[in-house]
Amino acid sequence: MDRNRNPVCLLLLLLGFASWFAPGVVAGPGPAQVPWIAHESQFYFSPRGGCPEAILSLVGKAVRTIDMAAYALSDEDVGRALAAAANRGVVVRIAGNKGSNCPTDTVAAILKTAGLKVEKKKTSGLMHNKYIIVDQEKVLTGSYNFTDSANTANRENLSVMRGAEVAKLYQADFEKICTFDSLGFPFS
């Protein structure tokens, strides 16, 4: 019998495919099965679609912690907002990719005034994340780099999500970035 027309093979294939979209699970083939998480979201697009204002608002409202994973950080307003947060007692940690523009010298000088530094480690690949976790309950993420050109020239997107469960997922990733390279090997 032609295996392309075998009803048992077809049924098994469909069941396998359907399991990727089972209620409550978001995942494709592979080991990670992440449950659907209820949360509130806001969405922004650039150029000039409110992205910098969303970033500055979120950072400005931080009370306890800010953890930022940034491939690029050259927007001086974001640097000043992070420094201001640190100056008002918020614990600010920034992880960047060694060799990337995170932060530029100008932004590094702004961060230094508040005693902040960017942890930049060489990884086996790019640390290409762009997210901020605030007070372990809000997450800002998207394609938007923390640069001036992201708002004035590029087509970017940004989501702000509120929910402790979402923040926990990003927090776990941030802790991995600070401890391991992109393939899961400890930094030496």
Side-chain angles (χ1 to χ4, degrees), residues 48-69:
R48 296 178 181 84
C51 294
E53 295 83 2
I55 295 165
L56 298 177
S57 175
L58 188 69
V59 169
K61 292 177 183 173
V63 176
R64 297 181 311 277
T65 59
I66 296 173
D67 288 330
M68 177 184 207

Side-chain angles (χ1 to χ4, degrees), residues 27-185:
Q33 295 278 317
V34 180
W36 282 98
I37 297 173
H39 64 278
E40 296 177 35
S41 299
Q42 296 172 308
F43 305 96
Y44 304 88
F45 300 89
S46 69
R48 296 178 181 84
C51 294
E53 295 83 2
I55 295 165
L56 298 177
S57 175
L58 188 69
V59 169
K61 292 177 183 173
V63 176
R64 297 181 311 277
T65 59
I66 296 173
D67 288 330
M68 177 184 207
Y71 177 73
L73 175 55
S74 63
D75 185 323
E76 294 175 24
D77 289 336
V78 173
R80 282 190 281 279
L82 292 167
N87 287 332
R88 66 175 187 273
V90 176
V91 176
V92 178
R93 299 187 300 166
I94 305 167
N97 189 69
K98 192 170 202 159
S100 71
N101 200 15
C102 180
T104 59
D105 291 341
T106 306
V107 173
I110 292 167
L111 297 174
K112 191 174 184 179
T113 64
L116 297 174
K117 67 177 188 164
V118 177
E119 289 295 325
K120 293 173 76 167
K121 305 205 174 164
K122 181 157 178 41
T123 65
S124 56
L126 290 178
M127 195 294 296
H128 204 245
N129 288 303
K130 302 146 186 116
Y131 62 76
I132 301 173
I133 309 159
V134 173
D135 296 332
Q136 298 180 340
E137 63 186 39
K138 296 176 200 124
V139 176
L140 179 146
T141 189
S143 67
Y144 192 89
N145 280 300
F146 303 101
T147 64
D148 292 323
S149 61
N151 186 49
T152 59
N154 300 348
R155 296 242 175 241
E156 307 273 2
N157 68 80
L158 189 67
S159 302
V160 179
M161 300 172 280
R162 183 172 36 202
E165 292 300 313
V166 171
K168 282 181 193 175
L169 291 171
Y170 279 86
Q171 195 68 53
D173 185 67
F174 185 81
E175 299 305 332
K176 280 193 242 177
I177 289 169
C178 292
T179 310
F180 299 94
D181 76 3
S182 63
L183 293 179
F185 297 109

